[in-house]
Amino acid sequence: MADAVENKKNIAEGVPTVTLTIDGRETTVPKGTTVLMAARGLGIHIPTFCWHPKLKPMGSCRMCYVEIEKMPKLQVSCALEAMDGMVVLTDSDLVKRGRRAIIEFILMNHPLDCPTCDKGGECDLQDQTFAHGVDDSRFDFQKYRFTEGTEGSTFDDLRIGPEIVLNRNRCILCYKCVRANKEAFGEYDLGAYERGNIMEIHRAPGRQVDNPFSGNLVEICPVGALTNTDWRYKIRVWLTQTTSSICPFSSSGVNTLLYKDDHQQKIFRTTSRPNDDIDDGWLADVTRYGYQIATSPDRLQTPLIKKDGQQVPATWKEALEIINKRLNEIKDKKGRVCIGGIVSPSLDNATLHSFSKLIRVTLGSNNIDYRTQYRMLPKEPENVYDAMSARSFKISDIDDSDVIVAFGSDLVKEHPNEYLRIRKACNFHSASVYSVNPYRVKSADVARREMIYKVGTEEVFLNGLCLAAIEAGMAEGGDLKEKISPSTAAEAAAICGVDAEHLKELAAAMANGRKVTFIAGELVSRSRERLCISSALANLTRLLGLENKGQVSILPHYANSFGAGKLGLLPQPPEGIRNALTELWGAWPEAEPLTTDGMLINMKKEEVNGCIALGCNPVMLYPDREFARESLEKLDFLLVADLYETETTGLADVVLPLASWAEYDGRYINLEGRVQRANRALKPRFESKPGYEIVEAIAEQIGDKLYESSDQCEQEISRLVESSNVQPLPDKYFDVRPAEEESDEEYPIALFVGDDPHHSGHLTEKANSLFNFCGEAYIEMSSELAKKLDLKEGDSARVESKVGKIIVPVRISTTINNDVVFIPRNFSSTTVTALLMRKKRTDRVKISKVVN
Amino acid sequence: MKEILKALVDVIWKMPQGLLVTFKHMFKKPITLDYPKKKEPMAPRFKGLHYLERYEDGSERCVCCGLCAAACPADAVYMEPDENENGERLAKVYEINMLRCIFCGFCEEACPEEAIFLGREYEFATDSREGFIYSKDQLLVPHPRKESAFKRTIRRIRKIYGVEESR
Amino acid sequence: MSFYSPVRTNAAEVAKSDRLHLFKYVEDPQQANIDTFVAHGGYVAWRKALTSMKPDEVREEVKNAGLRGRGGAGFPTGIKWGFIPQASTKPRYLVCNADESEPGTCKDRVIMERDPHAMLEGMAVASFAIGCHLMFVYIRGEFGHCIDVVNRAVEEGYAQGYFGKNIFDTGYDLDVIVHSGGGAYICGEETALLNSLEGHKGMSRIRPPFPAVEGLYACPTIVNNVESLASVPHIINRGSDWYKSLGTEKSCGSKIFSLSGHVKQPGNYEVELGYNLKDFIYSPEYGGGILGDKKLKGVIPGGSSTPFLKPEDIDVGLDYESLTTVGSMLGSGAVIVFHEDTCIVWTIMKLIHFYRHESCGKCTPCREGTGWLERMITAIEHGRGRPGDVEKIESVCENIMGRTICPLGDAAVMPIQSAIKNWRDEWQYHIDHGKCQVKTNTEFV
């Protein structure tokens, strides 16, 4: 009874409830709750195989039998809705007999190869046989074996994807993998074939199971039917220790568990650490297999020093002495402002903050930036782009939003975790999803309407939305109409190349929606016109009052981008942060601040002579490779710290080995502003050191110790994080006058450069598994375009822009439209950023076939 | 006089009696062994140095499941699994630290693949601690080998657990 | 024109009778033709319902008539129609379950082949009663000929204005889609049928929600058997009181029984519900006695998924209630007769092979259980039985019975349970001696 009262408190008011009795205990649950969930609420465990909390019930394994008074048959509790006055028995003799029978049936054709099976030790079937089964089998026939297609494998194993091995004999047909693939991820590369007792789970004919969420299928498999190749036959689960960590590749801060062995100093796999507020227990493959960057043998082993044009290994002491000497030389030669600091937004708070102090206090420079991958960053402080990209946003609020707009974002590639949330909102809560992009994307598969605007017309589209809302009388425009162009929605629609009706439909949906989530992505952040677009977005937000009934945000892209913003790693941080920092440090450099862009320009002009690049690779990722390279080459002194040898370390005078995120305790701030901790799983490999130790060592060498203890640094960080609030949007409309889009006859095709769904940034190509999914760059294009260019899948295409050319294989895709191509930037073997020009808004290329 | 007589009796009568005992043992079978040349027969359940069995075709029985290591009370077993080209699981590293081992035989009992057995060998002294860490190559029985004690053992185990042949 | 599957019917007797109605014109080669059908009084009920009745009235009429589903479960049709949530604004669908695949049953096939308009008219009336504008006929894929005939009938119906837009100038639209099944027994189960119709794998869905609430494309859907629908026009034409007067008190109307097995005259016969089973087998109009005048061994009264009856139990009425009292069911009305030379183990082996092959594989007890049963029973039949096997089979049956999503699991084990109960000595003989007690009979008709 006490439980029932307790439960009642947690149920929101106005929600209809039912009261039932489970094993003699009464409980009150919201109407529509299943008996299984009601029992779990009471702490009564009902065993299951096919039930998964994030999937719709299927009721196929029949393990979750319960006995209900007045019902003659056993009922499956996972699909049975709790009714008022129900009397449920979960442990009666009949239930026990039923479970025992199910275990016996399942074990009938299940091979007893637990010694070789990797699931052994964490297998649902083992556990439940132990708990509910009998120790002997009455089945005295040969077990059925699936042998088709498994010639050459002793245990009938079949590789169905780059990283997945299927053993159909072990499969107990719970269909969780197929359902998750279909319901949660929207992928159809795995299916159930045949029927009856010879039914098998198999990849779709002619396909590989290589979708960006495929690792989850292995994790939810209750037996060892699906196994990862990275974990396969490496270690027994009971010999590993777990460390809770977070994903360093996505801005969501997905919670993970690292399975490691202290003896071998190795991480063996990553699994999810379900956190319903963030990830629902699903991991994208880049998160799951990305741990391999930490354990790769290619890691930098010692510091490197350039001697006579050659980089040679050195000790830390030597390296630090050289750093000190060279930095002093530059200081003496030119004055203080000629040093720049570029840092990766994937590093933890302590590293970022101490780096900030090193640059600003010790070196007295204001040139610090974490955004190495964007072109033409705005110089103005406290601009509307910074404001729009640091709105408060809650991932779990996507769930009950009824209108979701994904604008300028290829979600699967940029924010896989949010994509799954949107799917969930669509599947379980019938949310209306609108996908607005310059090209067709995979994530639009759940969209009620997919709108494709012409490349480079983002702000016109947003203006069009404002106009459509005003024209339909859905919002009071005030003086907005005069401030934006074009003047009518129809005109805007024509410029964007979308249907005016669709524009109206979206405006109406956003105006009338109960709760609206508006996500803008990298296509806004990366655009040269990001200020203009964010202004248009701010107008729309204000016009429709979106902040009051939902959330609008330009989502940050990297694990700690949000944190870097909050800690003031911008050349001109918002005033609040600047004041707080000045107060903490007692000083603020007078020098004129420079963004990454500005630094590179000044390097080229030889006005910036020294640079410290921490964990980042501007040569590879800055959207103008030649420009970045030439600028960095002109430096007197370049210090780079990274995990691997990269293009940028190749130019460096001193290279320091950086520890990966799994090798130290670090805190990260995800896109919601949630501070999360990644624990140390391993010792730093070789001679590498965590970022904050490197920064501290440099500062100490210079003679200006930054912090007495790490606590001191942490305290400063927490004060900063607490003090910085979301910037309020100004109470006015912005002028948004779209610029004319330049076109070029010679280079007709728009090029988009971004992350491959299986990669993130410049490090993940070193992860073996991710390399197996995708190991080289490709050019993704529609079949129509390929036909026009006389290209076939796998052909080599020469892609040329005004500044560069590369040759890449062709990949025909169904999710990209005609005049657009996409090339991933994650591979050092393909210098795709060499095609880009930093001053252009849209990168345009021409493509021709390479004839051998 | 009396004492002299008594001493004579002792010498003539009792001394040979004592010597008789001595000489009697000259003809008895000795109870000690000429150890390195001769050896005491073992009890049938003697647990000596471990060995890893093979299948008849010479492939290893051990699949490196880790149960012996899990069962080991002295934590003497260490292993790292690997995969061969047929997708079979086998041990890449299999080590038993004989200094730690208490020869309880739990590993033999835990083994689901009938791969590890405690043999008869007890002479494995070496002069370094490292030498007592036996690697897989040292533990595996040579192939082929003549004796078939292994088959008998398996038959016995199967009989105990009543494993039936399938229809 | 029309193809005649050489099945004996009692059309002549029905034509004379005032009470029997389904088979009246079934022997007429032109009946599949719409003109002949209309000349024989067809589409009158459709016109009457649409022009002079309200949907509620039609539903009441069918409910009062006491028509029960002829597919197997025997759920009252009118009540089923009433389950559609009236407040729902979603479109509604009617699906005619013409996936007749129960072994021994071939009644719907005769209607579809020889009198397709009777079914279509019934569907039209039913659609009107539930307010549906799109109805589906899900025909078993193996019935290629039926599909042709029904397709032609649908075309004729459209041409003459019985379907399509604005029927009889009432503004009522009704469209028909004929869908060929994928060849699975399980698709005769309504939720699996809906899955199959949607293009998914034929696997039954978990209930609730029931199809009447969330069926085809998550919209309210009614699934009815061919014979039930074909009976509807007669109820509309002659009134529910007339229909109620047929048959017994609780099992109203007449029903087609497919008689097969060791009888002299197998065929489809329409009789009133409650007709005596013994008479049905032995009467010269119907079965005409056992093949070779041998002794009767057993009867399956309602399709292969119903329990066996022993000879002493067959003096019973062919209706829903009476058969239940002797431990069997009416099912789909397929009476299968076995004479004394039939080996029961062999018979069951054949049956379980069928069910194992047709199990969809969704839920564990049916998927694994039928496979196990098949192997055990096959082993017994082939002389590899072991002592205790019969008890093991019984226990496995018990573990399947009532534990599955759809009734296929129950259907598979019910004949086995009754066969063991009735002829246990024969099973035991098989195990002990490795051969049949009776002369093995493979001339199964």
Side-chain angles (χ1 to χ4, degrees):
Chain A
M1 197 58 213
D3 288 310
V5 176
E6 196 78 359
N7 280 353
K8 228 170 194 167
K9 273 186 209 155
N10 297 334
I11 300 167
E13 260 178 53
V15 176
T17 60
V18 293
T19 301
L20 70 161
T21 312
I22 304 175
D23 287 349
R25 291 160 69 186
E26 200 169 85
T27 179
T28 303
V29 291
K31 205 168 170 350
T33 311
T34 59
V35 172
L36 182 87
M37 288 312 286
R40 292 212 170 194
L42 287 177
I44 297 168
H45 182 79
I46 299 176
T48 58
F49 286 117
C50 72
W51 178 82
H52 188 278
K54 304 296 171 196
L55 300 174
K56 288 175 186 163
M58 189 185 194
S60 72
C61 73
R62 318 303 282 179
M63 191 64 198
C64 62
Y65 281 138
V66 289
E67 193 181 344
I68 311 266
E69 235 170 56
K70 299 197 189 93
M71 288 198 194
K73 294 177 181 174
L74 288 174
Q75 301 292 318
V76 283
S77 57
C78 69
L80 184 70
E81 195 182 317
M83 297 284 179
D84 240 343
M86 228 177 210
V87 180
V88 183
L89 293 174
T90 68
D91 213 21
S92 66
D93 275 351
L94 188 63
V95 172
K96 282 181 184 161
R97 276 209 307 278
R99 283 180 193 155
R100 209 175 300 142
I102 296 298
I103 293 279
E104 185 180 30
F105 281 137
I106 289 176
L107 284 177
M108 243 177 71
N109 281 316
H110 185 89
L112 298 181
D113 60 352
C114 304
T116 54
C117 176
D118 265 319
K119 201 76 178 183
E122 53 172 355
C123 174
D124 280 6
L125 185 57
Q126 273 185 342
D127 295 349
Q128 295 191 20
T129 305
F130 199 68
H132 308 288
V134 286
D135 56 358
D136 201 4
S137 173
R138 295 185 293 167
F139 181 76
D140 48 8
F141 297 91
Q142 284 286 332
K143 291 175 192 265
Y144 191 85
R145 259 182 89 175
F146 292 90
T147 51
E148 194 205 328
T150 57
E151 296 77 12
S153 165
T154 308
F155 300 114
D156 308 328
D157 290 331
L158 191 66
R159 190 174 277 249
I160 56 167
E163 285 300 311
I164 296 186
V165 174
L166 167 72
N167 187 318
R168 290 164 291 175
N169 299 337
R170 293 181 193 149
C171 178
I172 61 166
L173 290 171
C174 68
Y175 304 99
K176 262 200 282 198
C177 49
V178 180
R179 281 151 61 210
N181 220 20
K182 198 166 93 177
E183 280 177 31
F185 317 141
E187 298 285 350
Y188 295 87
D189 44 19
L190 193 73
Y193 300 90
E194 291 292 339
R195 71 174 176 212
N197 60 351
I198 56 164
M199 182 177 269
E200 52 182 312
I201 303 292
H202 212 305
R203 62 179 166 211
R207 298 272 306 266
Q208 292 272 314
V209 183
D210 57 359
N211 68 63
F213 305 100
S214 59
N216 292 308
L217 309 178
V218 177
E219 193 178 324
I220 60 174
C221 184
V223 290
L226 293 170
T227 43
N228 288 103
T229 44
D230 67 331
W231 170 258
R232 184 178 165 81
Y233 298 169
K234 293 288 188 302
I235 195 165
R236 280 298 183 181
V237 66
W238 60 82
L239 297 175
T240 56
Q241 298 86 42
T242 55
T243 304
S244 48
S245 183
I246 65 159
C247 167
F249 302 110
S250 72
S251 53
S252 313
V254 172
N255 292 193
T256 59
L257 268 187
L258 302 177
Y259 283 69
K260 51 144 188 192
D261 180 25
D262 282 339
H263 177 78
Q264 296 183 47
Q265 277 296 315
K266 241 170 117 176
I267 300 175
F268 288 91
R269 69 168 174 187
T270 308
T271 64
S272 71
R273 181 158 56 94
N275 181 344
D276 284 359
D277 286 344
I278 297 177
D279 51 34
D280 266 352
W282 306 123
L283 297 189
D285 281 357
V286 65
T287 309
R288 185 174 302 274
Y289 301 115
Y291 73 88
Q292 291 166 4
I293 65 164
T295 46
S296 164
D298 297 347
R299 286 274 297 273
L300 276 171
Q301 307 203 357
T302 58
L304 302 175
I305 297 174
K306 203 180 239 173
K307 267 187 191 158
D308 311 324
Q310 285 282 319
Q311 284 179 345
V312 290
T315 61
W316 273 93
K317 196 161 171 274
E318 284 167 357
L320 289 169
E321 273 165 9
I322 289 183
I323 294 166
N324 184 24
K325 198 175 118 215
R326 301 291 291 277
L327 285 177
N328 278 329
E329 272 172 26
I330 293 168
K331 249 198 277 185
D332 296 343
K333 199 169 108 191
K334 285 258 184 171
R336 304 196 133 199
V337 287
C338 52
I339 287 169
I342 312 175
V343 63
S344 157
S346 303
L347 294 171
D348 69 304
N349 283 345
T351 306
L352 293 179
H353 187 65
S354 52
F355 184 71
S356 172
K357 193 171 179 186
L358 174 77
I359 298 288
R360 287 208 157 110
V361 178
T362 311
L363 300 173
S365 165
N366 236 345
N367 308 334
I368 180 165
D369 206 340
Y370 67 92
R371 300 164 299 180
T372 46
Q373 300 157 27
Y374 300 153
R375 65 186 84 186
M376 306 295 281
L377 287 160
K379 290 201 186 81
E380 306 83 5
E382 296 190 36
N383 53 59
V384 61
Y385 165 68
D386 288 342
M388 288 310 293
S389 56
R391 311 308 305 157
S392 66
F393 188 85
K394 267 196 88 174
I395 297 171
S396 56
D397 276 359
I398 297 176
D399 281 359
D400 57 345
S401 300
D402 60 342
V403 176
I404 301 166
V405 187
F407 178 79
S409 174
D410 195 341
L411 282 174
V412 178
K413 290 170 183 152
E414 291 167 20
H415 299 290
N417 179 47
E418 284 67 35
Y419 165 62
L420 297 186
R421 281 285 171 157
I422 292 174
R423 279 198 74 86
K424 181 181 170 196
C426 185
N427 279 345
F428 286 87
H429 308 283
S430 308
S432 306
V433 181
Y434 294 86
S435 169
V436 188
N437 273 302
Y439 55 92
R440 231 184 286 145
V441 292
K442 155 81 179 56
S443 54
D445 59 352
V446 283
R448 164 164 296 190
R449 178 84 62 204
E450 178 173 21
M451 282 174 250
I452 296 168
Y453 56 81
K454 269 195 202 141
V455 177
T457 58
E458 282 90 357
E459 64 275 23
V460 184
F461 186 91
L462 291 172
N463 283 352
L465 274 182
C466 295
L467 290 166
I470 296 168
E471 281 166 20
M474 288 178 281
E476 278 296 319
D479 63 341
L480 177 61
K481 244 181 139 171
E482 288 83 58
K483 288 194 162 183
I484 57 178
S485 64
S487 51
T488 64
E491 219 175 303
I495 294 174
C496 299
V498 297
D499 197 325
E501 283 304 310
H502 295 172
L503 205 61
K504 215 154 119 194
E505 182 190 331
L506 175 54
M510 283 165 70
N512 304 329
R514 178 180 49 80
K515 186 169 182 181
V516 182
T517 294
F518 191 107
I519 294 173
E522 282 290 277
L523 292 176
V524 174
S525 295
R526 281 193 196 135
S527 172
R528 187 192 67 193
E529 298 298 326
R530 64 177 75 69
L531 271 183
C532 193
I533 303 169
S534 353
S535 306
L537 185 54
N539 286 349
L540 182 71
T541 308
R542 181 158 178 249
L543 180 72
L544 297 176
L546 295 182
E547 291 246 293
N548 305 329
K549 59 168 186 180
Q551 42 189 0
V552 181
S553 185
I554 303 175
L555 293 186
H557 192 202
Y558 296 95
N560 210 7
S561 296
F562 198 88
K566 278 207 158 187
L567 297 176
L569 267 89
L570 295 163
Q572 297 209 343
E575 190 159 3
I577 299 175
R578 192 166 62 226
N579 292 343
L581 283 172
T582 318
E583 196 186 312
L584 286 171
W585 295 338
W588 187 260
E590 295 299 317
E592 191 202 349
L594 292 173
T595 60
T596 312
D597 259 313
M599 279 185 247
L600 290 172
I601 294 169
N602 284 4
M603 283 173 200
K604 207 164 183 181
K605 287 195 259 173
E606 302 200 22
E607 282 172 17
V608 169
N609 304 82
C611 180
I612 304 177
L614 199 58
C616 57
N617 185 0
V619 177
M620 182 169 163
L621 298 177
Y622 184 75
D624 197 333
R625 189 183 173 97
E626 279 312 294
F627 175 75
R629 199 176 54 77
E630 281 169 17
S631 302
L632 290 171
E633 269 176 355
K634 294 219 167 155
L635 282 171
D636 287 347
F637 178 66
L638 174 61
L639 165 65
V640 184
D642 211 329
L643 268 68
Y644 296 97
E645 286 190 45
T646 65
E647 291 83 346
T648 311
T649 61
L651 303 174
D653 297 288
V654 177
V655 181
L656 299 176
L658 186 67
S660 72
W661 95 106
E663 292 160 352
Y664 57 88
D665 290 336
R667 286 190 172 82
Y668 301 79
I669 305 181
N670 80 345
L671 54 82
E672 298 176 288
R674 186 191 294 262
V675 183
Q676 298 189 105
R677 190 184 158 109
N679 291 322
R680 171 178 152 142
L682 305 175
K683 291 179 202 147
R685 205 165 163 83
F686 307 121
E687 287 184 27
S688 61
K689 283 187 181 179
Y692 53 84
E693 280 184 23
I694 294 179
V695 172
E696 190 66 57
I698 296 171
E700 231 178 295
Q701 190 72 28
I702 292 173
D704 185 7
K705 200 163 168 28
L706 294 177
Y707 296 106
E708 293 303 324
S709 67
S710 59
D711 273 4
Q712 205 185 344
C713 179
E714 287 298 332
Q715 273 167 16
E716 282 192 9
I717 293 167
S718 50
R719 273 180 64 186
L720 275 174
V721 171
E722 276 160 23
S723 69
S724 64
N725 297 318
V726 177
Q727 293 180 52
L729 285 177
D731 193 22
K732 64 171 174 99
Y733 289 116
F734 293 91
D735 274 313
V736 182
R737 305 281 176 201
E740 273 292 308
E741 169 68 8
E742 69 271 30
S743 67
D744 193 332
E745 288 296 313
E746 199 189 341
Y747 300 99
I749 298 161
L751 165 71
F752 285 91
V753 173
D755 286 336
D756 179 84
H758 281 102
H759 289 276
S760 170
H762 69 287
L763 293 175
T764 51
E765 66 170 325
K766 305 282 197 238
N768 248 332
S769 298
L770 296 174
F771 189 83
N772 290 344
F773 277 106
C774 182
E776 60 167 356
Y778 50 86
I779 179 163
E780 197 177 342
M781 60 171 77
S782 67
S783 53
E784 290 91 344
L785 182 64
K787 213 169 175 183
K788 213 165 81 187
L789 298 166
D790 190 27
L791 287 164
K792 286 192 299 294
E793 174 99 26
D795 279 358
S796 292
R798 179 184 289 114
V799 188
E800 283 173 82
S801 76
K802 266 191 184 135
V803 290
K805 73 173 176 197
I806 56 169
I807 292 174
V808 278
V810 173
R811 191 186 276 188
I812 310 271
S813 165
T814 51
T815 60
I816 194 158
N817 45 316
N818 287 343
D819 44 359
V820 173
V821 291
F822 173 88
I823 305 180
R825 55 171 189 171
N826 315 86
F827 305 97
S828 52
S829 54
T830 306
T831 56
V832 56
T833 42
L835 297 175
L836 311 181
M837 284 192 284
R838 54 183 283 276
K839 285 189 177 162
K840 286 256 185 188
R841 173 167 191 179
T842 311
D843 301 296
R844 291 188 184 273
V845 292
K846 65 176 178 188
I847 301 167
S848 54
K849 189 175 176 171
V850 178
V851 187
N852 298 329
Chain B
M1 191 64 212
K2 216 173 181 181
E3 283 79 23
I4 295 166
L5 271 178
K6 205 177 177 188
L8 269 175
V9 169
D10 276 1
V11 167
I12 295 162
W13 182 238
K14 288 201 174 159
M15 203 172 70
Q17 259 187 344
L19 281 171
L20 191 68
V21 173
T22 307
F23 287 118
K24 226 159 63 184
H25 278 275
M26 287 178 72
F27 304 100
K28 274 197 176 166
K29 214 180 158 194
I31 58 167
T32 54
L33 275 180
D34 186 7
Y35 167 58
K37 289 180 194 153
K38 285 185 186 158
K39 285 171 190 172
E40 178 77 28
M42 289 290 121
R45 294 191 188 174
F46 179 79
K47 295 175 190 145
L49 185 68
H50 312 66
Y51 63 93
L52 289 171
E53 263 302 342
R54 291 180 191 268
Y55 283 104
E56 272 151 27
D57 63 355
S59 54
E60 296 157 27
R61 289 189 78 96
C62 175
V63 297
C64 201
C65 72
L67 286 185
C68 47
C72 183
D75 207 0
V77 188
Y78 175 77
M79 57 180 69
E80 281 177 32
D82 200 6
E83 182 177 1
N84 73 3
E85 65 278 6
N86 291 337
E88 288 170 21
R89 188 186 170 109
L90 60 111
K92 181 169 72 182
V93 178
Y94 190 100
E95 290 172 355
I96 300 181
N97 187 336
M98 293 302 170
L99 289 175
R100 279 194 186 181
C101 179
I102 58 168
F103 298 93
C104 63
F106 279 9
C107 47
E108 183 179 359
E109 263 181 69
C111 185
E113 297 287 330
E114 293 156 343
I116 190 166
F117 294 96
L118 266 63
R120 301 273 159 133
E121 182 62 51
Y122 51 85
E123 301 161 302
F124 45 95
T126 38
D127 49 10
S128 72
R129 283 177 176 273
E130 290 73 28
F132 281 103
I133 298 175
Y134 276 64
S135 69
K136 194 177 86 169
D137 297 334
Q138 289 165 285
L139 290 168
L140 267 171
V141 294
H143 175 75
R145 62 176 198 158
K146 286 171 263 166
E147 171 220 6
S148 65
F150 160 65
K151 273 191 180 165
R152 272 205 310 279
T153 320
I154 301 246
R155 262 204 302 278
R156 196 190 74 222
I157 293 170
R158 292 218 168 124
K159 208 173 161 192
I160 291 169
Y161 290 100
V163 180
E164 274 183 84
E165 293 301 309
S166 61
R167 280 191 253 188
Chain C
M1 185 61 218
S2 205
F3 174 80
Y4 269 52
S5 51
V7 175
R8 201 181 122 97
T9 63
N10 59 340
E13 185 208 344
V14 174
K16 278 182 272 167
S17 163
D18 184 35
R19 298 165 72 83
L20 303 177
H21 46 278
L22 288 167
F23 268 0
K24 199 163 185 180
Y25 301 108
V26 87
E27 296 280 5
D28 184 340
Q30 294 302 316
Q31 179 67 9
N33 230 323
I34 194 161
D35 297 328
T36 320
F37 180 72
V38 172
H40 286 155
Y43 287 119
V44 172
W46 177 214
R47 192 180 292 273
K48 179 182 170 193
L50 196 51
T51 51
S52 65
M53 292 173 85
K54 289 203 183 86
D56 288 356
E57 291 169 12
V58 177
R59 217 159 50 223
E60 272 312 298
E61 197 72 22
V62 174
K63 200 163 156 186
N64 290 341
L67 174 64
R68 294 173 68 169
R70 304 295 195 223
F75 195 80
T77 307
I79 295 177
K80 197 177 193 178
W81 293 357
F83 284 158
I84 294 232
Q86 293 304 312
S88 166
T89 53
K90 289 178 182 172
R92 295 151 188 199
Y93 299 114
L94 176 83
V95 179
C96 173
N97 183 349
D99 189 81
E100 181 182 52
S101 33
E102 177 84 2
T105 319
C106 45
K107 60 191 177 66
D108 297 344
R109 178 179 174 184
V110 176
I111 295 177
M112 280 188 287
E113 269 178 7
R114 305 185 184 181
D115 200 0
H117 288 287
M119 172 186 81
L120 291 171
E121 185 183 5
M123 285 173 68
V125 175
S127 296
F128 176 67
I130 62 169
C132 129
H133 297 282
L134 179 59
M135 54 190 199
F136 297 84
V137 195
Y138 185 94
I139 305 181
R140 182 179 174 191
E142 287 88 336
F143 286 177
H145 180 65
C146 291
I147 296 167
D148 293 346
V149 175
V150 173
N151 264 324
R152 225 184 103 242
V154 169
E155 269 170 42
E156 287 176 340
Y158 268 104
Q160 304 225 353
Y162 294 111
F163 311 117
K165 300 265 173 267
N166 195 15
I167 302 161
F168 308 140
D169 292 327
T170 54
Y172 196 84
D173 303 337
L174 182 62
D175 285 299
V176 195
I177 291 176
V178 180
H179 186 94
S180 156
Y185 171 68
I186 188 68
C187 292
E189 197 272 336
E190 57 180 3
T191 53
L193 184 149
L194 296 177
N195 260 356
S196 171
L197 196 55
E198 285 180 11
H200 297 297
K201 224 175 156 122
M203 279 184 166
S204 43
R205 297 177 185 172
I206 197 147
R207 277 172 286 196
F210 287 91
V213 181
E214 225 174 82
L216 191 62
Y217 307 118
C219 296
T221 307
I222 293 294
V223 184
N224 279 137
N225 179 258
V226 174
E227 194 190 345
S228 325
L229 289 167
S231 305
V232 170
H234 298 279
I235 295 171
I236 301 299
N237 280 336
R238 303 216 216 168
S240 55
D241 293 337
W242 166 78
Y243 197 80
K244 220 173 161 58
S245 71
L246 308 180
T248 67
E249 192 189 340
K250 281 188 173 166
S251 309
C252 310
S254 66
K255 163 139 186 56
I256 305 167
F257 287 90
S258 307
L259 184 59
S260 62
H262 297 138
V263 284
K264 284 181 179 158
Q265 299 167 22
N268 283 316
Y269 304 106
E270 182 188 353
V271 293
E272 282 184 48
L273 284 168
Y275 194 83
N276 189 286
L277 173 60
K278 195 169 187 176
D279 289 353
F280 189 62
I281 295 169
Y282 287 101
S283 124
E285 297 144 53
Y286 303 122
I290 309 292
L291 209 59
D293 289 323
K294 291 189 180 160
K295 272 206 273 183
L296 181 68
K297 176 162 192 165
V299 179
I300 298 180
S304 66
S305 24
T306 54
F308 282 86
L309 291 182
K310 287 197 97 170
E312 54 266 32
D313 289 333
I314 65 162
D315 194 6
V316 68
L318 278 168
D319 60 68
Y320 296 101
E321 286 73 29
S322 313
L323 283 170
T324 315
T325 55
V326 291
S328 191
M329 295 191 304
L330 184 69
S332 60
V335 181
I336 308 173
V337 179
F338 303 93
H339 68 40
E340 55 184 339
D341 285 350
T342 320
C343 168
I344 199 72
V345 180
W346 183 87
T347 312
I348 292 295
M349 183 184 81
K350 287 287 162 193
L351 279 182
I352 192 66
H353 172 73
F354 171 80
Y355 285 110
R356 199 275 299 152
H357 186 251
E358 295 295 347
S359 166
C360 80
K362 182 168 180 173
C363 55
T364 312
C366 169
R367 179 183 69 230
E368 304 291 349
T370 53
W372 191 1
L373 286 174
E374 190 201 11
R375 293 170 83 164
M376 275 197 283
I377 294 167
T378 311
I380 295 175
E381 167 66 20
H382 293 305
R384 286 183 275 117
R386 289 180 179 176
D389 269 3
V390 176
E391 289 71 27
K392 215 190 272 183
I393 291 172
E394 278 183 314
S395 145
V396 172
C397 287
E398 202 180 296
N399 286 339
I400 301 175
M401 186 74 193
R403 306 266 173 91
T404 52
I405 297 175
C406 76
L408 193 142
D410 301 356
V413 300
M414 275 193 293
I416 303 178
Q417 285 179 326
S418 72
I420 293 182
K421 199 178 89 199
N422 292 340
W423 296 282
R424 182 181 282 271
D425 51 337
E426 211 170 302
W427 289 83
Q428 204 53 53
Y429 188 91
H430 249 284
I431 291 171
D432 295 344
H433 299 85
K435 60 178 186 184
C436 282
Q437 192 174 22
V438 295
K439 196 168 75 189
T440 308
N441 186 311
T442 45
E443 46 170 273
F444 207 85
V445 183

